[in-house]
Amino acid sequence: MIDDEVAAVLAGPLMILVSTRDPAGRATIARGSGILRDQGDGLGVLLSHSLWPGAAAGAVAGGPIAVTCARPHDYRTYQIKGMITAVAPAGPADAAEGTAYVARMLGVMGALGVSRLQLSQTLTDRDLLRIDIHPHEVFDQTPGPTAGRPLGAANTPRDAQP
């Protein structure tokens, strides 16, 4: 499901948006504070429970989730949809990853002209929740002619797609 190209993007600096839904089925959204890969195809995403209580409340095992990851310098963007397999407060290793993510993104975004003050309301490593995901679908969401295109099982290279 997560091919090498998507994995390479996930390994770099990313802006992360996490969407869950409330009991009425309305979308809730949060800014992620890190993404983690497991040994298989699973992902973990970190978000601040206290900063994003709606999205955190919508994160329930067995529920749907969408995670959109964009590289800041070129907007290469993928959306990963799947089911939540587990939700728990971040452990020490997850919290360390969240702290490293915030520091890394402050540097990356600062180099692009976005100030720490502008990010201070949405980028945090406080009160992190880890949401584990089993991905079902991956979409190319890079702005341009391939935006919205699902990536197939063969994961045809993006530049070769019509």
Side-chain angles (χ1 to χ4, degrees):
M1 178 63 49
I2 306 295
D3 69 10
D4 291 344
E5 185 174 335
V6 175
V9 171
L10 294 179
L14 296 170
M15 299 178 293
I16 304 167
L17 294 177
V18 179
S19 181
T20 61
R21 63 182 184 194
D22 70 12
R26 294 180 298 245
T28 61
I29 194 165
R31 181 178 174 113
S33 293
I35 196 158
L36 312 156
R37 298 273 324 268
D38 66 18
Q39 297 298 322
D41 235 5
L43 297 173
V45 65
L46 303 171
L47 67 84
S48 170
H49 185 272
S50 56
L51 188 59
W52 308 106
V60 295
I65 190 166
V67 179
T68 304
C69 301
R71 257 189 333 216
H73 69 278
D74 65 0
Y75 289 108
R76 172 66 80 187
T77 305
Y78 296 102
Q79 183 180 58
I80 301 163
K81 292 184 177 182
M83 299 301 288
I84 298 169
T85 57
V87 180
D94 301 328
E97 176 59 29
T99 298
Y101 171 84
V102 169
R104 185 171 51 248
M105 290 310 295
L106 287 173
V108 167
M109 299 304 284
L112 295 171
V114 182
S115 74
R116 181 178 294 262
L117 180 61
Q118 290 171 305
L119 296 170
S120 66
Q121 300 299 311
T122 61
L123 187 60
T124 183
D125 60 351
R126 286 181 294 119
D127 193 24
L128 295 178
L129 189 66
R130 179 182 173 137
I131 304 168
D132 291 328
I133 304 163
H134 178 73
H136 290 174
E137 299 174 286
V138 180
F139 296 87
D140 183 352
Q141 294 293 5
T142 305
T146 63
R149 185 177 312 252
L151 302 182
N155 285 337
T156 303
R158 291 1 154 232
D159 296 336
Q161 295 178 354

